[in-house]
Amino acid sequence: MEAWFRAYAPYVNLHPDDEYLPSSVDWFFSNGALLYKKGEESQPARIEPGGVNLPKGGDPNDGLYWLDLPGDKEARDKVSHGDIASAEAYVHFKPGVLNGTFTDIQVWMFYPYNGHATAKIGFIDKVPLGKVGEHVGDWEHVTMRVRNVDGVLDRVYFSQHSGGKWVDASLLQFRNQTVKRFTWYVSRNGHAGNSEEGLFLQGPGNDVGIRNDWDISDKVVDTGARFVVVASDGEAVEEPPWLSYERKWGPTQKYDTAAEVRDARKLLPGKLKEALDNLVKVIDQVFGKDGPTGPKSKTYWTGDEA
């Protein structure tokens, strides 16, 4: 299975204008990330190497624990922008998928911060949305589905915010035609995955939506060179302590979505104001305001991607 991963390991291609880059989990911890407990907010704990002092399991929706950036403004700014030099992929093997026909290889990337969103409203290409979309601790993944009979890559699932999509292997963009390792495009600030460059709008339609921008750049992570196998359903793997932390990787956001877009709304002409109002109604469905959970808390950690 590890040989299969090395054969197809994707290149993570970040947007050239992305301000919020990935890092390793250990870099996040060692640079001042904090563990908070409800009722003891004034005394957050520094996270120890590997996350050995993080609580295990529990209900991710009970609001009892969450992680956050360092309290110091300078350190907070540094950590939020990540450290691409330390970034590594976290790999999970799921053999025996679809009656043993396939092996799924999940490849997870961690981002200390998810940046602000931008909208397209009709003929106005870029409308800033304030703090909308911002949150601490962002986990994104692709799943490579490999045929067990011959080890051929069949398709790839790209996570995109609260959903995602499957792409046939024949439609992937490979770095070269000799080595079949594909490009995993990551959207600007939001880190949604895609198989190609371009723009996709999430929202009510009619040329109105939240922008997902993918473009080629020199900000690239070679997951085949920097990865850790953190779990396997088929064999014993020493899991890192942080993997069993199933609470929130960031605090719940407290901003008012309508208030955040108020300044932008003032600048829009007539009917475009109404279009922005319609977009506001779906923004929280796309992003949510709860802090995100880690890989093991996702339904598709053990189940199938929709």
Side-chain angles (χ1 to χ4, degrees):
M1 288 187 288
E2 189 168 318
W4 285 349
F5 169 73
R6 290 181 183 276
Y8 304 119
Y11 291 91
V12 180
N13 182 104
L14 293 124
H15 192 278
D17 298 327
D18 201 333
E19 302 176 41
Y20 303 102
L21 305 179
S23 77
S24 70
V25 170
D26 283 336
W27 182 90
F28 179 61
F29 292 164
S30 65
N31 280 272
L34 297 171
L35 170 66
Y36 283 81
K37 184 177 181 180
K38 187 177 181 180
E40 301 177 11
E41 289 86 351
S42 63
Q43 298 177 312
R46 288 288 297 263
I47 302 172
E48 297 176 14
V52 295
N53 62 324
L54 294 175
K56 305 292 188 292
D59 180 358
N61 297 311
D62 62 13
L64 190 58
Y65 293 96
W66 64 92
L67 306 188
D68 204 347
L69 300 172
D72 175 75
K73 186 179 184 303
E74 184 176 345
R76 190 177 183 88
D77 183 65
K78 172 189 173 182
V79 174
S80 69
H81 286 87
D83 180 63
I84 197 170
S86 73
E88 57 190 6
Y90 302 105
V91 180
H92 172 211
F93 294 119
K94 294 198 299 180
V97 177
L98 299 181
N99 297 319
T101 306
F102 298 96
T103 288
D104 276 1
I105 305 174
Q106 288 185 336
V107 188
W108 293 86
M109 296 293 297
F110 174 72
Y111 301 80
Y113 201 76
N114 191 92
H116 57 276
T118 303
K120 184 178 189 305
I121 309 292
F123 61 86
I124 302 181
D125 280 341
K126 295 183 180 180
V127 178
L129 297 177
K131 295 180 181 178
V132 169
E134 293 188 10
H135 61 78
V136 176
D138 188 24
W139 282 99
E140 301 290 349
H141 81 286
V142 297
T143 297
M144 303 186 297
R145 182 156 287 178
V146 181
R147 297 198 310 239
N148 286 336
V149 67
D150 53 13
V152 171
L153 180 64
D154 186 80
R155 72 196 85 157
V156 175
Y157 179 87
F158 293 85
S159 65
Q160 299 176 336
H161 303 304
S162 57
K165 67 176 184 179
W166 284 103
V167 176
D168 190 89
S170 65
L171 301 177
L172 299 172
Q173 291 186 12
F174 296 99
R175 295 279 287 194
N176 62 65
Q177 293 305 309
T178 303
V179 180
K180 293 291 187 178
R181 295 178 56 200
F182 64 95
T183 298
W184 171 5
Y185 289 95
V186 176
S187 67
R188 178 178 180 266
N189 291 352
H191 311 134
N194 201 21
S195 58
E196 58 186 351
E197 305 148 73
L199 168 65
F200 175 72
L201 297 179
Q202 283 181 283
N206 296 321
D207 217 23
V208 174
I210 299 162
R211 294 183 65 99
N212 288 271
D213 288 280
W214 296 282
D215 200 359
I216 196 163
S217 78
D218 58 2
K219 297 176 182 177
V220 176
V221 178
D222 179 357
T223 63
R226 289 183 273 174
F227 72 93
V228 180
V229 178
V230 295
S232 174
D233 298 350
E235 58 186 77
V237 170
E238 184 177 355
E239 298 185 1
W242 57 259
L243 189 63
S244 294
Y245 170 72
E246 298 187 38
R247 272 21 191 267
K248 306 293 186 181
W249 283 73
T252 298
Q253 303 303 303
K254 297 180 180 179
Y255 60 77
D256 181 337
T257 302
E260 287 298 317
V261 304
R262 196 167 290 146
D263 288 343
R265 190 179 188 279
K266 293 176 183 177
L267 302 176
L268 296 175
K271 289 188 176 181
L272 294 191
K273 282 184 169 64
E274 183 180 342
L276 179 58
D277 293 341
N278 289 334
L279 180 59
V280 167
K281 295 174 183 177
V282 301
I283 280 176
D284 289 339
Q285 297 174 19
V286 174
F287 291 111
K289 290 187 177 180
D290 281 340
T293 55
K296 217 171 186 178
S297 299
K298 312 295 187 186
T299 56
Y300 34 73
W301 178 261
T302 53
D304 194 9
E305 279 89 350

